[in-house]
Amino acid sequence: MAAFNNTQVSVKILEPAAEGEEGKFYWGMASQPGPRDLFQLSVNKRTTVSQLKAMIEKEKGIDKAALRVIYFGKELAGSRDMESVGFNHTDDPLLHVIPLPGS
């Protein structure tokens, strides 16, 4: 297994889908994304998705319960850590985060 070399992750906040619309994802990109922000957070291999949500809540004021964390088109469970997601296998880790409508 490769060593975990990344010390931060890039986070891109996307606008939620409009009421009644269903988001479409391909390789982590939402169809017709409307980026609100792009920033970086410090992580290590044991940082979990739940911890990332708490960091985003603190950094951006978005309720962590309303956040969906997307990586390569799939929503990540809160218990997943950065090592299990595979950030140790990429030089450019990027998570897409989509708040639920109304958040």
Side-chain angles (χ1 to χ4, degrees), residues 25-84:
F25 303 97
Y26 178 75
W27 290 100
M29 293 295 294
S31 62
Q32 300 179 346
R36 286 177 38 190
D37 214 348
L38 177 64
F39 58 99
Q40 294 179 325
L41 294 171
S42 295
V43 297
N44 62 49
K45 66 181 179 180
R46 297 291 176 233
T47 302
T48 65
V49 171
S50 291
Q51 290 169 326
L52 274 175
K53 287 181 179 183
M55 290 180 205
I56 293 168
E57 182 177 54
K58 183 177 179 181
E59 175 87 14
K60 297 295 173 187
I62 303 170
D63 181 10
K64 64 184 175 188
L67 296 174
R68 295 172 15 207
V69 178
I70 310 294
Y71 186 61
F72 282 95
K74 298 190 186 291
E75 185 170 359
L76 298 177
S79 60
R80 295 284 301 269
D81 63 25
M82 295 297 97
E83 187 172 51
S84 75

